[in-house]
Amino acid sequence: METQLLLNSCMLTPMMIILMPTLLPLLSKSLQNSPLIITHTIKSAFLTSLLPLTLFMYSGTESITLCWEWKFIMNFKIPISLKIDQYSIMFLPIALFVTWSILQFALWYMASDPHLTKFFFYLMLFLIAMLILTIANNMFLLFIGWEGVGIMSFLLIGWWQGRAEANTAALQAVLYNRIGDIGLILSMAWFATTLNTWEMQILPSTQMSIFPLLGLILAATGKSAQFGLHPWLPAAMEGPTPVSALLHSSTMVVAGIFLLIRTHHMLATNQAALTLCLCLGALSTLFAATCAIMQNDIKKIIAFSTSSQLGLMMVTIGLNLPQLAFLHISTHAFFKAMLFLCSGSIIHSLGGEQDIRKMGGLQKTLPITTSCLTIGNLALMGTPFLAGFYSKDLIIENLNTSYLNTWALLLTLLATSFTATYSLRMTLLVQTGPVRLPPITPMNENSPTIIYPITRLALGSIMAGLLITSFIVPTKTLPMTMPTLTKTAAISATILGIIMATELTNMTHTLTQPKQTNITNFSSMLGFFNYLTHRTASTSLLTNGQKIASHLIDYSWYKKMGPEGLADLQLSAAKTSTLLHNGLIKAYLGSFALSILIIILYSH
Amino acid sequence: MSTLHLSFYSAFTLSSLGLAFHRTHLVAALLCLESMLLSMYIALSTWPVETQMTSSALLPMLTLTFSACEAGTGLALLVASSRTHGSDHLHNLNLLQC
């Protein structure tokens, strides 16, 4: 009993610590924020959050739910219900650790920024929104966190507001997330009207209609950049590198997957929804990996790598293994954030150069950064016993030993080899080979504010997999026995990718022009997805709007058939009969005679 | 019908058609008008004879009077129009044309 009370209060302590920089400046003039204060806040919150984690692991608690009701007025009660279970209690220290390292890195990276405090404040607000999302027990609070991370993503991607591409990218992010939000709101509305609740626990695990599940999957597609709503993620690299590291690799983009993890008991019974997740994830992972092979911008390669890993997480959800998906989220956070920080260090050291074709031989000049880059890439590829291995290899093993869509399996295996390909390509082009830099570069990685975060995350990338898997209890039995080929499927796919990568880099070192084939064009133009969809979506909407509003209503009904049409009709009749009214008596008398004749003939 | 009836029916009809479908001269229309009245006079004259209704024997006289007045008016109009327009061509009388 005391353990649980202790756990409860220890869980709330880091939350309170994080909220301090938002509240204290309002209370007194002397307690203004500064970047260093915010960094130390997050660091202390991380250290404090390790305590509830250890308590949770050793006491064997399943979950703790905290319920408050915020009584606005008499009958309007806002339920604030927090759930502390293995997912949220594990996510909290990991998110805080990664954020601490990123903030420390941002002190060096964005040191020349005039609004550094605001930048740090935005990052902290983002973290608060993300944590609200993770500890939410009802859809209401989750929605608050969801929208919060969306807004902060918009503000942070467009941090350098003067840059038109940054504004476009921020807008793109918001629009694509909005399309996903439609799905979330749809599900929430369905829950509210059919089940009369928004609490996660009351949502049924029995057979239910696929409608809200489709809404949730749409929300995850939007937020986690699955295929169909994916273009915003590579475009989001317009933001500063700390933003890319925090939002678009570790925390925000996993919000969609996290939603599906929280609601997995509803998905578990609906095989159609599971298959949809599976195929969508497989398609996303392969598409992103294909696009990553041809990229030349180091940040875009890592962005597509994130997108590919998100597809892999979606595949895991489709296999009905939410715990494994969460494990992949946790391990992925470490090495992906580290990859981004290393790329940030490289970019700054080369004076703003982001093209890997203009880098080379950095292993001797930036040893710490490049070593950590190598560690990160190896972890990403799933090298045995680094962090990525524990989650990725398990996912591939489960894929191979489950009864599922073969196409999804093939796509995922292909994407695994592509992962190895582009990672190794990036590593080889950046670190080894002839130096393709300009002779004078401000290469300097000697500041502790850059070394400590990267090495910390490198340590995490190596140890995290082992630590997390040692201490969590799996809810489903993992496949233990399988044929040797199946067991080594992931490793062999990776080695195949490595061989392909070495072939690619050997080809690029010769002086032949790369030939443009259809496949290379497809890959480097990101599948032409942006060009096909962005223009057609808006033009079709606008054309239909014009057809209905302008052509149909204004022209047809008001002009042709309505008042003006009637006037036109009268006018044409009048014009025809004007010819007859020529003022000559003969016409009138003639018509008189004719009519008399007709009357006489008719009456007889 | 009898020959008499046929004669003034046909005279009336032909004159009215002539009035309606005149070509150029106003005087032709007036002449047709006269012949219409003439045929009506004949008809009104033979009608009390046929029906032996002597109280309506006054009618042709009235008709004749009116026709004479009317002919005079018509000729006066003809003269006036030929004084202003220079001829009695009917296509000159198009003041009412829009």
Side-chain angles (χ1 to χ4, degrees), chain A residues 583-599:
Chain A
L584 297 179
I585 307 172
K586 178 178 169 186
Y588 301 135
L589 286 175
S591 59
F592 171 68
L594 202 64
S595 30
I596 295 286
L597 188 66
I598 290 171
I599 289 171

PDB file of all heavy atoms in Angstrom, chain A residues 583-599:
ATOM      1  N   GLY A 583     -47.083  49.337 -87.864  1.00  0.00           N
ATOM      2  CA  GLY A 583     -47.854  50.578 -87.969  1.00  0.00           C
ATOM      3  C   GLY A 583     -48.693  50.681 -89.225  1.00  0.00           C
ATOM      4  O   GLY A 583     -49.370  51.667 -89.438  1.00  0.00           O
ATOM      5  N   LEU A 584     -48.617  49.667 -90.052  1.00  0.00           N
ATOM      6  CA  LEU A 584     -49.399  49.751 -91.286  1.00  0.00           C
ATOM      7  C   LEU A 584     -50.762  49.123 -91.065  1.00  0.00           C
ATOM      8  O   LEU A 584     -50.891  48.064 -90.468  1.00  0.00           O
ATOM      9  CB  LEU A 584     -48.678  49.010 -92.412  1.00  0.00           C
ATOM     10  CG  LEU A 584     -47.318  49.605 -92.771  1.00  0.00           C
ATOM     11  CD1 LEU A 584     -46.678  48.782 -93.867  1.00  0.00           C
ATOM     12  CD2 LEU A 584     -47.476  51.040 -93.219  1.00  0.00           C
ATOM     13  N   ILE A 585     -51.748  49.784 -91.598  1.00  0.00           N
ATOM     14  CA  ILE A 585     -53.130  49.348 -91.350  1.00  0.00           C
ATOM     15  C   ILE A 585     -53.387  48.003 -92.000  1.00  0.00           C
ATOM     16  O   ILE A 585     -54.200  47.199 -91.548  1.00  0.00           O
ATOM     17  CB  ILE A 585     -54.123  50.392 -91.911  1.00  0.00           C
ATOM     18  CG1 ILE A 585     -53.769  51.760 -91.352  1.00  0.00           C
ATOM     19  CG2 ILE A 585     -55.542  50.035 -91.542  1.00  0.00           C
ATOM     20  CD1 ILE A 585     -54.553  52.873 -91.990  1.00  0.00           C
ATOM     21  N   LYS A 586     -52.665  47.777 -93.078  1.00  0.00           N
ATOM     22  CA  LYS A 586     -52.922  46.562 -93.835  1.00  0.00           C
ATOM     23  C   LYS A 586     -52.718  45.320 -93.002  1.00  0.00           C
ATOM     24  O   LYS A 586     -53.510  44.386 -93.068  1.00  0.00           O
ATOM     25  CB  LYS A 586     -51.999  46.544 -95.044  1.00  0.00           C
ATOM     26  CG  LYS A 586     -52.122  45.316 -95.883  1.00  0.00           C
ATOM     27  CD  LYS A 586     -51.206  45.399 -97.068  1.00  0.00           C
ATOM     28  CE  LYS A 586     -51.159  44.047 -97.740  1.00  0.00           C
ATOM     29  NZ  LYS A 586     -50.187  44.011 -98.816  1.00  0.00           N
ATOM     30  N   ALA A 587     -51.660  45.353 -92.193  1.00  0.00           N
ATOM     31  CA  ALA A 587     -51.375  44.175 -91.374  1.00  0.00           C
ATOM     32  C   ALA A 587     -52.505  43.927 -90.398  1.00  0.00           C
ATOM     33  O   ALA A 587     -52.955  42.795 -90.213  1.00  0.00           O
ATOM     34  CB  ALA A 587     -50.064  44.377 -90.639  1.00  0.00           C
ATOM     35  N   TYR A 588     -52.995  44.992 -89.831  1.00  0.00           N
ATOM     36  CA  TYR A 588     -54.040  44.833 -88.824  1.00  0.00           C
ATOM     37  C   TYR A 588     -55.324  44.352 -89.476  1.00  0.00           C
ATOM     38  O   TYR A 588     -56.002  43.450 -88.985  1.00  0.00           O
ATOM     39  CB  TYR A 588     -54.286  46.158 -88.095  1.00  0.00           C
ATOM     40  CG  TYR A 588     -53.034  46.666 -87.404  1.00  0.00           C
ATOM     41  CD1 TYR A 588     -52.649  48.002 -87.505  1.00  0.00           C
ATOM     42  CD2 TYR A 588     -52.233  45.816 -86.670  1.00  0.00           C
ATOM     43  CE1 TYR A 588     -51.516  48.458 -86.890  1.00  0.00           C
ATOM     44  CE2 TYR A 588     -51.085  46.257 -86.068  1.00  0.00           C
ATOM     45  CZ  TYR A 588     -50.733  47.582 -86.173  1.00  0.00           C
ATOM     46  OH  TYR A 588     -49.609  48.020 -85.560  1.00  0.00           O
ATOM     47  N   LEU A 589     -55.639  44.945 -90.608  1.00  0.00           N
ATOM     48  CA  LEU A 589     -56.852  44.531 -91.290  1.00  0.00           C
ATOM     49  C   LEU A 589     -56.721  43.115 -91.804  1.00  0.00           C
ATOM     50  O   LEU A 589     -57.686  42.340 -91.798  1.00  0.00           O
ATOM     51  CB  LEU A 589     -57.157  45.481 -92.445  1.00  0.00           C
ATOM     52  CG  LEU A 589     -57.692  46.844 -92.003  1.00  0.00           C
ATOM     53  CD1 LEU A 589     -57.846  47.752 -93.205  1.00  0.00           C
ATOM     54  CD2 LEU A 589     -59.034  46.665 -91.314  1.00  0.00           C
ATOM     55  N   GLY A 590     -55.529  42.780 -92.272  1.00  0.00           N
ATOM     56  CA  GLY A 590     -55.311  41.427 -92.760  1.00  0.00           C
ATOM     57  C   GLY A 590     -55.461  40.403 -91.652  1.00  0.00           C
ATOM     58  O   GLY A 590     -56.096  39.356 -91.833  1.00  0.00           O
ATOM     59  N   SER A 591     -54.942  40.726 -90.498  1.00  0.00           N
ATOM     60  CA  SER A 591     -55.076  39.789 -89.390  1.00  0.00           C
ATOM     61  C   SER A 591     -56.515  39.709 -88.935  1.00  0.00           C
ATOM     62  O   SER A 591     -57.008  38.636 -88.560  1.00  0.00           O
ATOM     63  CB  SER A 591     -54.166  40.199 -88.229  1.00  0.00           C
ATOM     64  OG  SER A 591     -54.499  41.493 -87.797  1.00  0.00           O
ATOM     65  N   PHE A 592     -57.196  40.811 -89.033  1.00  0.00           N
ATOM     66  CA  PHE A 592     -58.617  40.829 -88.684  1.00  0.00           C
ATOM     67  C   PHE A 592     -59.389  39.907 -89.625  1.00  0.00           C
ATOM     68  O   PHE A 592     -60.210  39.088 -89.209  1.00  0.00           O
ATOM     69  CB  PHE A 592     -59.116  42.271 -88.777  1.00  0.00           C
ATOM     70  CG  PHE A 592     -60.584  42.408 -88.659  1.00  0.00           C
ATOM     71  CD1 PHE A 592     -61.234  42.132 -87.468  1.00  0.00           C
ATOM     72  CD2 PHE A 592     -61.355  42.828 -89.753  1.00  0.00           C
ATOM     73  CE1 PHE A 592     -62.596  42.269 -87.362  1.00  0.00           C
ATOM     74  CE2 PHE A 592     -62.719  42.970 -89.642  1.00  0.00           C
ATOM     75  CZ  PHE A 592     -63.351  42.696 -88.452  1.00  0.00           C
ATOM     76  N   ALA A 593     -59.111  40.035 -90.917  1.00  0.00           N
ATOM     77  CA  ALA A 593     -59.811  39.193 -91.890  1.00  0.00           C
ATOM     78  C   ALA A 593     -59.490  37.733 -91.677  1.00  0.00           C
ATOM     79  O   ALA A 593     -60.374  36.855 -91.750  1.00  0.00           O
ATOM     80  CB  ALA A 593     -59.416  39.618 -93.304  1.00  0.00           C
ATOM     81  N   LEU A 594     -58.247  37.463 -91.416  1.00  0.00           N
ATOM     82  CA  LEU A 594     -57.819  36.072 -91.205  1.00  0.00           C
ATOM     83  C   LEU A 594     -58.518  35.461 -90.002  1.00  0.00           C
ATOM     84  O   LEU A 594     -58.979  34.312 -90.036  1.00  0.00           O
ATOM     85  CB  LEU A 594     -56.307  36.052 -91.018  1.00  0.00           C
ATOM     86  CG  LEU A 594     -55.613  34.728 -91.312  1.00  0.00           C
ATOM     87  CD1 LEU A 594     -55.792  34.384 -92.779  1.00  0.00           C
ATOM     88  CD2 LEU A 594     -54.139  34.843 -90.983  1.00  0.00           C
ATOM     89  N   SER A 595     -58.622  36.246 -88.966  1.00  0.00           N
ATOM     90  CA  SER A 595     -59.244  35.692 -87.773  1.00  0.00           C
ATOM     91  C   SER A 595     -60.735  35.489 -87.982  1.00  0.00           C
ATOM     92  O   SER A 595     -61.314  34.506 -87.520  1.00  0.00           O
ATOM     93  CB  SER A 595     -58.982  36.566 -86.542  1.00  0.00           C
ATOM     94  OG  SER A 595     -58.846  37.909 -86.901  1.00  0.00           O
ATOM     95  N   ILE A 596     -61.363  36.379 -88.742  1.00  0.00           N
ATOM     96  CA  ILE A 596     -62.793  36.209 -89.049  1.00  0.00           C
ATOM     97  C   ILE A 596     -63.003  34.925 -89.835  1.00  0.00           C
ATOM     98  O   ILE A 596     -63.929  34.148 -89.594  1.00  0.00           O
ATOM     99  CB  ILE A 596     -63.322  37.424 -89.841  1.00  0.00           C
ATOM    100  CG1 ILE A 596     -63.261  38.679 -88.966  1.00  0.00           C
ATOM    101  CG2 ILE A 596     -64.714  37.171 -90.340  1.00  0.00           C
ATOM    102  CD1 ILE A 596     -64.305  38.711 -87.900  1.00  0.00           C
ATOM    103  N   LEU A 597     -62.098  34.707 -90.796  1.00  0.00           N
ATOM    104  CA  LEU A 597     -62.173  33.506 -91.633  1.00  0.00           C
ATOM    105  C   LEU A 597     -62.072  32.247 -90.791  1.00  0.00           C
ATOM    106  O   LEU A 597     -62.851  31.291 -90.957  1.00  0.00           O
ATOM    107  CB  LEU A 597     -61.033  33.563 -92.663  1.00  0.00           C
ATOM    108  CG  LEU A 597     -61.065  32.503 -93.749  1.00  0.00           C
ATOM    109  CD1 LEU A 597     -62.274  32.724 -94.633  1.00  0.00           C
ATOM    110  CD2 LEU A 597     -59.816  32.562 -94.590  1.00  0.00           C
ATOM    111  N   ILE A 598     -61.113  32.287 -89.863  1.00  0.00           N
ATOM    112  CA  ILE A 598     -60.896  31.101 -89.018  1.00  0.00           C
ATOM    113  C   ILE A 598     -62.112  30.854 -88.139  1.00  0.00           C
ATOM    114  O   ILE A 598     -62.568  29.713 -87.965  1.00  0.00           O
ATOM    115  CB  ILE A 598     -59.629  31.284 -88.186  1.00  0.00           C
ATOM    116  CG1 ILE A 598     -58.400  31.226 -89.092  1.00  0.00           C
ATOM    117  CG2 ILE A 598     -59.513  30.219 -87.121  1.00  0.00           C
ATOM    118  CD1 ILE A 598     -57.127  31.602 -88.439  1.00  0.00           C
ATOM    119  N   ILE A 599     -62.705  31.930 -87.641  1.00  0.00           N
ATOM    120  CA  ILE A 599     -63.869  31.763 -86.754  1.00  0.00           C
ATOM    121  C   ILE A 599     -65.028  31.174 -87.535  1.00  0.00           C
ATOM    122  O   ILE A 599     -65.744  30.271 -87.082  1.00  0.00           O
ATOM    123  CB  ILE A 599     -64.258  33.112 -86.122  1.00  0.00           C
ATOM    124  CG1 ILE A 599     -63.195  33.507 -85.086  1.00  0.00           C
ATOM    125  CG2 ILE A 599     -65.614  33.035 -85.476  1.00  0.00           C
ATOM    126  CD1 ILE A 599     -63.377  34.895 -84.579  1.00  0.00           C
TER     127      ILE A 599
END
